[in-house]
């Protein structure tokens, strides 16, 4: 007999993690909590001024663990198909199942369900306990009682202090079904179920409305089914799986699940159902005071998490960009405080965009955040050709404001006839107040070039200084050793914290020969801190894949597995389990290593390039839902063959995609068609222009 294959989307265990930090997080882009934890968070709700700003703790009524008199067999399961966590107890007499989820399309709702079912006939009632750690209070929000609403308890309160002096202090309303200490299945019933709702909103009317929606879904029996349908749609639109490397496959699925859960539900009008508050390194389940970077938004969102999501879901990508647009005024304040023009996006951002980093040196010197934000806007435009975001959606203000910042921040060096950016912290945070960080200068150059390009597309005249600085900015390079020093004065062999110079090759696509790319990889791989943040090794792996060395890449990618904590695949920032938990940044870097490394996908100005290469232990790669210019494509890659299928759409517009292989062959693709070709590099273009359906 052969055992049933293990479903890679379902993680099971008969015990919980010994460290509660690695309990699975459940979130939906607005609300997030760790299973059984007494605290939850809501996007955009922060308490504390300036550097003390952190996610406001909201008490979680679902902090209840099921206990039975009989020990029974315990099973804990995280089902990533459906976004549902369950705890099952099976005894000789009954089965008890507790289910928890953050509703995917009813984003203001959290849900707990309990099912009690007899296994054998008995005249005795069956009772289970629900041990709760919930207390209706918070150190961040002064809650007070409100009248019960349709059987639900109701509290509301306002955060103690605002992010900026005189700013808004968010109000939070919480309505929930009371969780009783015991639940009993009467003697005359074979089974019974209970549903507990939690509605969280920013006003009384909204909280009541969302609670009503939950009650209505309970009455129609569609509460959990509607949640599961939304997750099914997400997976239909975006999946990445490998055959032949089981642990890698499960890691990829886990990364996609936790990342997707951090982004908002998007309706058919292609807009988030609420004002999206960005993605912090530890997601919505973390970010309390002095925890996981306080829930602030960093470059992690734009550089590490965003690219993989953008390749599948332009609408979710646009939500990230809209978050940056909403912080424009704060970015302007930041630039003014530095004595510069234009915009300086916060190194650590919350709601207003004013920098809330606890240490001024980072907010003043981590300038590369500006270029990171613009790179995300540029990638979005190349994937969608959605000019409206820039024409009417204030995207042009972002791009041009950053260009003005760079021009005002550089200094001209008459000795080498180049522009310098002095006194910065590079991505490698082991060094402070250095001059001409190679990554910072290169990403500034790229953002300036995109500002000029966008001006032409919008029929605007760009200031000559933008192109002048882009042309003449210093990019440190050692012509003798043929590598890029991390900054002026960097000595080969000096230890570095994380991926920095290697980011020139990807995502910046900075022009260099294979020899120089190799030298950069070898130089910095040897001196990178083994306990540095988790996203680092994915970028080294991606670099070696570019150079055709799949096995060397795979060895580096294997290092990431030390950051994956069992049994629910929750990442830690460092390999020893320390640092930020549910480390979405590391997951994003890991995903990119496969999604852009194995496929060779490169989002370029007028094409989507590819250059597939698989390691020996991966027999096939399946990437479903790649969205380029609004066209959804499914890719299957083996070491010998590539198959590309274009999904049918409801659009009446016709289009043709041209697949051009480096061998010189050309293939044509229209909706509903597939093509196969030998595994080799090439690119895809759209021949006949059609309106981009970016809302997919």
């Amino acid at each position: 007999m052969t055992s049933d294959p293990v479903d890679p989307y379902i993680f099971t265990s008969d015990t919980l993690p010994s460290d509660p930090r690695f309990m699975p997080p459940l979130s939906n882009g607005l609300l997030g909590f760790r299973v059984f934890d007494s605290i939850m968070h809501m996007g955009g709700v922060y308490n504390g001024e300036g550097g003390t700003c952190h996610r406001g703790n909201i008490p979680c009524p679902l902090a209840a663990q099921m206990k039975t008199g009989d020990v029974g067999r315990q099973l804990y399961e995280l089902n990533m198909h459906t976004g549902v966590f369950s705890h099952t107890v099976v005894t000789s007499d009954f089965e008890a199942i507790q289910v928890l989820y953050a509703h995917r399309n009813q984003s203001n709702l959290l849900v707990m369900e309990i099912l009690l079912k007899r296994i054998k006939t008995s005249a005795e009632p069956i009772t289970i306990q629900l041990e709760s750690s919930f207390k209706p209070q918070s150190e961040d929000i002064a809650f007070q009682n409100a009248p019960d609403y349709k059987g639900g308890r109701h509290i509301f309160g306002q955060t103690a202090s605002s992010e900026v002096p005189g700013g808004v202090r968010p109000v939070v309303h919480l309505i929930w079904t009371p969780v009783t200490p015991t639940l009993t299945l009467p003697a005359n019933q074979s089974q019974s179920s209970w549903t507990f709702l939690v509605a969280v909103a920013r006003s009384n009317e909204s909280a009541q409305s969302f609670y009503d929606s939950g009650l209505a879904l309970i009455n129609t029996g569609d509460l959990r089914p509607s949640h599961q349908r939304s997750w099914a749609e997400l997976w239909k639109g975006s999946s990445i799986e490998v055959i032949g490397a089981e642990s890698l496959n499960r890691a990829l699925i886990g990364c996609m699940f936790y990342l997707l859960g951090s982004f908002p539900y998007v309706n058919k009008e292609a807009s988030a159902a609420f004002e999206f508050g960005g993605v912090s390194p530890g997601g919505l389940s973390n970010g309390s005071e002095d925890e996981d970077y306080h829930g602030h938004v960093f470059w992690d969102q734009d550089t590490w998490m965003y690219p993989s999501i953008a390749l599948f879901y332009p609408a979710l990508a646009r939500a990230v960009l809209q978050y940056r647009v909403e912080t424009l005024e704060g970015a302007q304040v930041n630039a003014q405080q530095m004595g510069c023009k234009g915009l300086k996006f916060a190194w650590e951002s919350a709601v207003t965009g004013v920098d809330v980093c606890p240490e001024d040196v980072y907010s003043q010197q981590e300038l590369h955040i500006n270029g990171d934000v613009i790179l995300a806007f540029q990638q979005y435009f190349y994937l969608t050709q959605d000019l409206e975001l820039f024409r009417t959606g204030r995207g042009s203000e972002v791009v041009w404001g950053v260009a003005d910042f760079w021009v005002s921040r550089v200094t001209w060096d008459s000795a080498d006839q180049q522009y310098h950016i002095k006194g910065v912290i590079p991505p490698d945070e082991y060094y402070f107040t250095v001059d001409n960080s190679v990554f910072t200068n290169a990403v500034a150059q790229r953002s300036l070039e995109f500002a000029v390009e966008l001006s032409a597309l919008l029929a605007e005249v760009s200031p000559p200084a933008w192109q002048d600085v882009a042309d003449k900015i210093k990019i440190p390079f050692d012509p003798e050793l043929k590598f890029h020093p991390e900054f002026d004065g960097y000595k080969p062999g000096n230890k570095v914290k994380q991926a920095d110079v290697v980011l020139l090759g990807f995502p910046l696509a900075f022009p260099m020969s294979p020899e120089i790319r190799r030298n950069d990889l070898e130089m910095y791989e040897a001196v990178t801190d083994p306990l540095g943040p988790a996203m680092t090794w994915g970028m080294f792996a991606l670099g070696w894949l570019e150079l055709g060395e799949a096995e060397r890449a795979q060895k580096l990618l294997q290092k990431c597995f030390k950051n994956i904590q069992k049994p629910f695949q929750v990442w830690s920032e460092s390999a020893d389990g320390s640092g930020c938990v549910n480390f979405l940044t590391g997951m994003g870097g890991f995903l990119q290593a496969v999604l852009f490394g194995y496929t060779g996908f490169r989002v370029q100005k007028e094409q989507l390039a590819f250059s597939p290469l698989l390691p020996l232990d991966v027999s096939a790669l399946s990437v479903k839902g790649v969205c380029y210019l609004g066209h959804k494509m499914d890719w299957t890659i083996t070491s010998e063959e590539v198959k590309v299928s274009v999904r049918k759409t409801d659009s009446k517009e016709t289009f043709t995609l041209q697949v051009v292989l480096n061998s010189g062959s050309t293939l044509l693709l229209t909706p509903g068609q597939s093509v196969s070709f030998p595994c080799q590099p090439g690119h895809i273009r759209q021949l006949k222009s059609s309106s981009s359906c970016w809302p997919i």
Side-chain angles (χ1 to χ4, degrees):
M1 293 179 62
T2 58
S3 59
D4 293 333
V6 175
D7 189 331
Y9 283 79
I10 298 177
F11 299 159
T12 61
S13 176
D14 55 8
T15 60
L16 293 173
S18 58
D19 186 339
R21 297 183 309 143
F22 299 118
M23 292 292 287
L26 299 175
S27 58
N28 57 21
L30 178 66
L31 302 176
F33 69 110
R34 283 199 298 263
V35 167
F36 301 141
D37 195 29
S38 61
I39 295 298
M40 62 177 169
H41 297 116
M42 183 179 194
V45 175
Y46 291 88
N47 183 44
E49 184 179 314
T52 67
C53 169
H54 57 276
R55 289 199 189 279
N57 284 348
I58 301 171
C60 183
L62 304 185
Q65 287 191 256
M66 187 172 64
K67 304 290 183 180
T68 61
D70 298 334
V71 176
R73 180 169 59 87
Q74 310 277 333
L75 180 68
Y76 302 95
E77 177 182 285
L78 179 61
N79 188 323
M80 295 189 173
H81 289 295
T82 60
V84 167
F85 177 87
S86 62
H87 172 207
T88 302
V89 180
V90 180
T91 73
S92 58
D93 295 323
F94 65 90
E95 179 182 45
I97 304 174
Q98 177 185 21
V99 166
L100 294 164
Y101 54 96
H103 204 288
R104 181 62 206 175
N105 63 52
Q106 298 290 326
S107 305
N108 295 73
L109 293 181
L110 303 180
V111 184
M112 179 172 73
E113 300 171 7
I114 305 286
L115 172 67
L116 272 177
K117 184 178 181 181
R118 291 184 189 277
I119 291 177
K120 62 183 181 182
T121 305
S122 170
E124 298 295 323
I126 296 171
T127 298
I128 63 168
Q129 288 78 43
L130 291 174
E131 289 188 0
S132 175
S133 59
F134 166 68
K135 294 181 180 179
Q137 59 194 43
S138 167
E139 64 274 25
D140 295 313
I141 301 169
F143 281 109
Q144 53 185 299
N145 294 323
D148 287 359
Y149 182 75
K150 296 186 177 180
R153 301 286 187 267
H154 183 184
I155 59 174
F156 69 98
Q158 193 171 27
T159 58
S161 59
S162 60
E163 179 183 330
V164 296
V168 174
R169 293 188 293 128
V171 173
V172 175
H173 284 258
L174 193 65
I175 302 177
W176 73 96
T177 313
V179 177
T180 56
T182 61
L183 295 174
T184 298
L185 177 64
N188 60 348
Q189 288 187 19
S190 61
Q191 68 177 50
S192 188
S193 62
W194 297 262
T195 300
F196 302 88
L197 285 177
V198 180
V200 189
R202 301 286 289 276
S203 71
N204 178 57
E205 293 76 13
S206 295
Q208 292 181 355
S209 175
F210 292 124
Y211 195 74
D212 286 343
S213 297
L215 293 176
L217 288 168
I218 292 172
N219 290 336
T220 60
D222 201 31
L223 183 63
R224 200 195 315 176
S226 61
H227 163 77
Q228 293 176 340
R229 285 195 302 273
S230 293
W231 267 107
E233 283 298 312
L234 269 180
W235 287 121
K236 180 181 177 182
S238 57
S239 71
I240 175 169
E241 299 180 26
V242 298
I243 297 174
E246 182 180 333
S247 60
L248 174 60
N249 193 42
R250 291 172 70 81
L252 291 169
I253 291 167
C255 290
M256 279 297 294
F257 173 78
Y258 289 126
L259 269 177
L260 286 171
S262 301
F263 283 80
Y265 172 72
V266 175
N267 61 28
K268 293 181 180 180
E269 285 70 43
S271 61
F274 51 86
E275 191 172 293
F276 180 51
V279 187
S280 59
L284 283 163
S285 59
N286 301 294
S288 301
E289 188 172 13
D290 298 324
E291 175 195 68
D292 296 341
Y293 301 109
H294 315 286
H296 296 165
V297 177
F298 292 72
W299 75 310
D300 305 48
Q301 170 190 258
D302 313 83
T303 300
W304 299 103
M305 308 170 201
Y306 169 91
S308 298
I309 297 299
L311 193 62
F312 294 113
Y313 284 113
L316 296 184
R318 183 162 177 159
V320 170
L321 306 185
Q322 189 60 38
Y323 167 77
R324 292 300 187 185
V325 168
E326 295 298 327
T327 64
L328 266 170
E329 283 68 27
Q332 192 172 36
V333 170
N334 298 333
Q336 290 171 350
Q337 290 178 343
M338 296 175 64
C340 294
K341 297 179 180 178
L343 305 173
K344 164 59 172 67
F345 283 95
W347 178 241
E348 298 190 28
S349 178
V351 175
T352 67
V354 172
D355 210 309
V356 289
C357 181
E359 299 181 63
D360 289 343
V361 65
Y362 293 100
S363 60
Q364 293 292 315
Q365 295 192 13
E366 294 258 19
L367 304 185
H368 65 84
I369 178 66
N370 261 12
D372 306 327
V373 168
I374 300 308
L375 183 60
F377 275 82
Q378 185 181 33
Q379 289 173 328
Y380 172 80
F381 177 65
Y382 287 174
L383 278 169
T384 66
Q385 294 296 307
D386 174 22
L387 260 183
E388 285 308 303
L389 172 66
F390 300 91
R391 184 179 286 116
T392 62
R394 302 189 73 188
S396 60
E397 291 182 49
V398 173
V399 176
W400 296 339
V402 167
D404 286 338
F405 174 86
W406 291 127
V407 169
S408 69
R409 182 60 173 76
V410 298
T411 57
W412 176 252
D413 188 286
S414 57
D416 63 10
Q417 294 291 293
Q418 291 180 311
Y419 288 103
H420 292 200
I421 302 179
K422 297 183 177 182
V424 303
I425 298 175
D428 171 16
E429 292 173 324
Y430 283 170
Y431 300 95
F432 293 75
T433 322
V434 302
D435 296 341
N436 295 314
S437 151
V438 68
F439 177 80
T440 302
N441 288 21
V443 81
Q445 180 185 63
R446 177 148 176 173
S447 57
L448 284 161
E449 291 170 344
F450 183 56
V452 173
E453 177 187 339
L454 182 63
S455 296
L457 289 169
L458 296 178
E460 298 285 347
V461 178
S462 60
W466 292 356
Q467 189 66 59
D468 187 55
V469 174
D471 291 341
K472 299 173 183 175
I473 196 167
K474 180 179 181 179
I475 305 296
F477 180 70
D478 186 323
E480 293 185 5
L481 296 178
K482 295 184 178 179
F483 87 107
H484 292 97
E486 194 173 90
F487 48 82
D488 284 354
Y490 174 81
K491 303 298 183 185
N494 284 0
K495 193 174 184 179
V496 303
K497 177 184 178 182
Q498 63 189 66
D500 186 312
V501 175
V502 296
L503 302 178
L504 294 181
F506 182 90
L508 291 190
F510 186 82
M512 69 181 84
S513 68
E515 178 187 13
I516 295 170
R517 179 72 159 136
R518 175 181 295 274
N519 290 345
D520 284 348
L521 288 165
E522 289 184 335
M523 176 76 70
Y524 293 103
E525 181 184 325
V527 297
T528 297
D529 190 337
L531 290 179
M535 65 280 193
T536 289
W537 300 115
M539 290 300 101
F540 278 100
L542 200 153
W544 288 115
L545 285 162
E546 277 186 354
L547 295 176
E549 297 199 24
E551 299 316 305
R552 185 165 183 175
Q554 201 70 346
K555 288 180 180 178
L556 290 169
L557 202 59
Q558 287 296 322
K559 291 187 176 186
C560 297
F561 284 87
K562 295 178 182 178
N563 299 74
I564 304 176
Q565 309 300 325
K566 295 181 179 181
F568 301 115
Q569 304 277 315
V570 177
W571 281 57
S572 59
E573 182 175 9
S574 298
D576 62 0
S578 63
C580 181
V581 296
N582 188 36
F583 191 50
L584 298 170
T585 310
M587 299 185 209
F590 186 81
L591 272 175
Q592 289 186 60
V594 175
L595 186 56
F596 294 91
Y598 289 2
T599 65
F601 285 149
R602 296 295 183 271
V603 180
Q604 298 173 347
K605 186 174 181 179
E606 295 179 345
Q607 62 191 29
L608 177 65
F610 55 88
S611 182
L613 180 65
L614 300 182
L616 292 176
D617 62 344
V618 174
S619 56
L621 169 67
S622 170
V623 182
K624 295 182 179 179
V626 173
C627 191
Y628 179 60
L629 302 182
H631 314 312
K632 279 282 193 180
M633 296 181 287
D634 299 330
W635 293 66
T636 303
I637 298 171
T638 68
S639 59
E640 297 178 351
E641 184 181 69
V642 177
K643 180 180 179 181
V644 185
S645 304
V646 180
R647 299 182 186 180
K648 290 183 178 181
T649 68
D650 296 330
S651 173
K652 295 181 180 180
E653 294 188 67
T654 59
F655 64 86
T656 301
L657 294 178
Q658 182 185 52
V659 182
V660 181
L661 304 179
N662 283 12
S663 63
S665 301
T666 300
L667 306 167
L668 299 180
L669 261 175
T670 55
Q673 285 190 330
S674 301
V675 295
S676 298
F677 49 86
C679 188
Q680 61 177 287
H683 63 263
I684 288 181
R685 295 173 179 243
Q686 181 172 284
L687 286 184
K688 183 176 180 181
S689 177
S690 67
S691 61
S692 168
C693 48
W694 57 265
I696 289 177

